[in-house]
Amino acid sequence: MASGRMDLAEPLDVAPPRGGAIADKLRGAILDGKYGPGARLNEVHLSRDFGVSRTPVRGALQTLVGEALLEYTPNKGYSVRAFAVSEIVDAFEMRALAEGLAARLAAERGLTPANEADLSASLAELDGAITFAASAAPAEAVRNPYSAANERFHTAIHRAADSRLVTDVIALCSRVPLTLTRHIIDFKTEDLKDRVEEHHQIYDAILSRQPREAERLMYEHDQVVRRALVRVLAKSGS
Amino acid sequence: MASGRMDLAEPLDVAPPRGGAIADKLRGAILDGKYGPGARLNEVHLSRDFGVSRTPVRGALQTLVGEALLEYTPNKGYSVRAFAVSEIVDAFEMRALAEGLAARLAAERGLTPANEADLSASLAELDGAITFAASAAPAEAVRNPYSAANERFHTAIHRAADSRLVTDVIALCSRVPLTLTRHIIDFKTEDLKDRVEEHHQIYDAILSRQPREAERLMYEHDQVVRRALVRVLAKSGS
DNA sequence: AACTGCCGAATTGTATACACTTCGTAAATT
DNA sequence: AATTTACGAAGTGTATACAATTCGGCAGTT
């Protein structure tokens, strides 16, 4: 048990904290709002914080620029992008279009057995989340099971669309500071039931190979979230 | 005249080939197909080719990964992304949706005087390009004036939409290896006239603040290109 | 002959030193 | 007192040395 080789047996998950890991940590910190909009990210400071040299930090920063989370000015450095509220709303509109296209493509191209299994499983999870919500439902607890299953469902459709570009676009639209978007997950239990029903309809449309119908349903499904966001903004903005 | 300082007197246009310049050159080379799909880009070789060290080269490569032109595998390096033909077609569909949204947003938000001037100017250029095409028209010569004005028009609309995310998405869709797409610019002169007319209609819809109409017109306008691509593919694929 | 294990070349990953640019600050000149 | 200039700190830009990893091939073994 105490063999030296044994100690290094499973370093695959933590031990090689390669540069990519730094990008992950920074991304999480930014999306969680730990760095405010416009905050400057200093290479030297980050190096010390992470206990590595500037080189991997630079790599991580450049990666995050590519993900549109940071902005870069030559000789000035990297700063957290400031999103106007209108841009966040636009992101949801763009996302609705892109996910609609994903659903359409999935319906056109058909589902592989693996895709179908994925979607069925997440639909079952969603049904489970909703009945659970109806019973206990301390509101807080509801979100996680639903959100997780919801994300699985959408991801499965992206895979089924089989178009990396479309997936990339959706990812781009999703990578928006959640400081505001957190608030809009204020679904009441009855609304939740509607959302789950929509998922089922989308699934059926894809299974029965109705591309335009699948696209329309997915678009409307995403629009619900966008409208909720606009509503919240109108309230807090007044 | 032979002073050492004089030799370095005007290095402003070429001499500070900062890391970003390397990214530009590489991007151009990739889009021009000088590196085939899947080609590996070696840091050391590129360093020697550009006459700089590995550091700026790495930066450029990471930037291009962010632009989805390269793929990166840890400990293996960077390689040119291989695009399936279906992905290229999807890119044009996604682009049509995104540019449609841009036109819609421009119509919703209205044009600034600068935007309006930009659009009018490029429309005039387009009109000029078409009459020029009708006269001389050695096919080759037509493309450049039209393409340039066409690009100006579309860029102006992106600016008018005033949504960086939408602009980014369109850029993502446009950054696809042109090896294939070059062929589809096989517009005949009469088709060109139709394209220009479409531009005018889009402009009018935006000016008269008809968002859905502007969106529909722009979408259809882009679909022309997508359909042309599909046609070429069907021909060469058979 | 097939397989296993090991070595070494090639390439990426990281660290660090140094040059250059930017910007604030304070001193000096007008 | 206002403006300008010079200096210096802070931070990015680049180069280079070295460590770590991957993978091909060769040798040895079975």
Side-chain angles (χ1 to χ4, degrees):
Chain A
M1 271 296 272
S3 131
R5 286 201 64 71
M6 283 301 254
D7 291 330
L8 296 170
E10 52 171 66
L12 279 173
D13 30 4
V14 198
R18 96 173 104 275
I22 296 176
D24 293 340
K25 285 196 177 185
L26 276 178
R27 185 183 7 256
I30 293 168
L31 290 178
D32 281 357
K34 295 190 179 180
Y35 296 93
R40 300 258 308 260
L41 273 70
N42 184 296
E43 295 181 3
V44 175
H45 292 169
L46 292 174
S47 303
R48 283 210 305 255
D49 292 349
F50 285 112
V52 297
S53 79
R54 279 174 56 204
T55 311
V57 170
R58 263 180 94 82
L61 293 174
Q62 289 179 287
T63 297
L64 296 178
V65 169
E67 297 177 8
L69 279 174
L70 296 181
E71 275 184 338
Y72 167 73
T73 317
N75 290 317
K76 282 206 60 175
Y78 302 84
S79 54
V80 178
R81 249 186 78 178
F83 285 81
V85 284
S86 69
E87 271 195 87
I88 299 180
V89 177
D90 292 346
F92 279 87
E93 179 66 35
M94 187 75 252
R95 183 191 163 110
L97 288 169
E99 284 212 294
L101 175 56
R104 189 213 304 175
L105 292 176
E108 280 176 1
R109 294 169 183 174
L111 298 177
T112 68
N115 288 334
E116 201 170 329
D118 263 10
L119 286 173
S120 307
S122 44
L123 279 178
E125 276 185 55
L126 284 167
D127 290 334
I130 198 177
T131 58
F132 171 73
S135 60
E140 266 304 325
V142 191
R143 289 176 192 168
N144 286 345
Y146 173 79
S147 297
N150 182 59
E151 188 172 331
R152 273 195 61 184
F153 180 83
H154 284 260
T155 303
I157 289 195
H158 304 164
R159 264 200 300 274
D162 192 32
S163 172
R164 177 161 166 189
L165 182 93
V166 175
T167 306
D168 285 352
V169 168
I170 295 171
L172 197 59
C173 297
S174 307
R175 255 186 251 116
V176 146
L178 301 180
T179 321
L180 276 173
T181 61
R182 274 282 162 71
H183 301 289
I184 65 171
I185 318 185
D186 261 344
F187 290 136
K188 312 201 173 44
T189 311
E190 62 233 78
D191 288 339
L192 256 187
K193 209 177 278 183
D194 290 343
R195 298 295 85 71
V196 172
E197 172 60 19
E198 287 162 11
H199 283 126
H200 279 281
Q201 288 179 6
I202 293 166
Y203 177 67
D204 291 342
I206 293 177
L207 255 195
S208 53
R209 312 296 290 270
Q210 297 177 294
R212 305 316 299 211
E213 181 67 2
E215 178 172 29
R216 191 186 64 79
L217 288 169
M218 180 62 96
Y219 178 81
E220 289 300 331
H221 174 67
D222 278 359
Q223 283 293 337
V224 173
V225 184
R226 179 178 177 276
R227 278 191 285 267
L229 175 62
V230 172
R231 216 176 305 129
V232 170
L233 289 177
K235 202 178 299 179
S236 69
S238 65
Chain B
M1 266 300 273
S3 134
R5 287 201 62 74
M6 282 304 255
D7 293 331
L8 297 169
E10 53 168 67
L12 276 172
D13 30 1
V14 200
R18 115 170 89 271
I22 296 176
D24 294 340
K25 286 196 178 186
L26 277 178
R27 188 185 4 257
I30 294 168
L31 290 178
D32 280 358
K34 294 191 179 179
Y35 296 94
R40 299 255 309 258
L41 274 71
N42 185 296
E43 295 180 3
V44 175
H45 292 169
L46 292 174
S47 303
R48 284 212 301 256
D49 291 349
F50 286 112
V52 297
S53 79
R54 280 175 55 207
T55 310
V57 170
R58 264 180 93 81
L61 292 174
Q62 288 179 290
T63 298
L64 295 178
V65 169
E67 296 177 8
L69 280 174
L70 297 181
E71 274 184 339
Y72 168 72
T73 316
N75 292 316
K76 282 207 63 179
Y78 302 81
S79 55
V80 177
R81 251 187 77 178
F83 285 81
V85 284
S86 69
E87 272 194 87
I88 299 180
V89 177
D90 292 346
F92 279 87
E93 179 67 36
M94 187 74 252
R95 183 193 162 107
L97 288 169
E99 285 212 294
L101 176 57
R104 190 213 303 174
L105 292 176
E108 280 177 0
R109 294 170 182 172
L111 298 177
T112 68
N115 288 333
E116 201 169 329
D118 264 9
L119 286 172
S120 307
S122 43
L123 278 178
E125 276 185 54
L126 284 166
D127 290 335
I130 198 177
T131 57
F132 171 73
S135 60
E140 265 303 326
V142 191
R143 289 176 193 168
N144 285 346
Y146 173 79
S147 298
N150 182 58
E151 188 171 332
R152 274 194 62 183
F153 180 83
H154 284 259
T155 303
I157 289 195
H158 305 162
R159 263 202 301 274
D162 193 31
S163 172
R164 176 161 167 190
L165 182 93
V166 175
T167 306
D168 285 351
V169 168
I170 294 171
L172 197 59
C173 297
S174 307
R175 257 186 249 114
V176 146
L178 300 179
T179 321
L180 277 174
T181 60
R182 274 282 163 72
H183 301 289
I184 66 171
I185 317 186
D186 261 344
F187 290 136
K188 314 201 173 43
T189 311
E190 62 233 77
D191 288 339
L192 257 188
K193 209 177 280 185
D194 290 343
R195 297 297 84 70
V196 172
E197 172 59 20
E198 287 163 11
H199 282 127
H200 279 282
Q201 289 179 5
I202 293 167
Y203 176 67
D204 292 342
I206 293 177
L207 255 195
S208 54
R209 312 295 290 268
Q210 298 176 294
R212 305 316 301 206
E213 181 66 3
E215 177 172 28
R216 190 187 66 77
L217 288 169
M218 179 64 96
Y219 178 82
E220 289 300 331
H221 174 67
D222 278 358
Q223 283 293 336
V224 173
V225 184
R226 179 178 176 275
R227 278 192 285 267
L229 175 62
V230 172
R231 215 176 307 130
V232 171
L233 290 176
K235 202 178 297 178
S236 68
S238 65

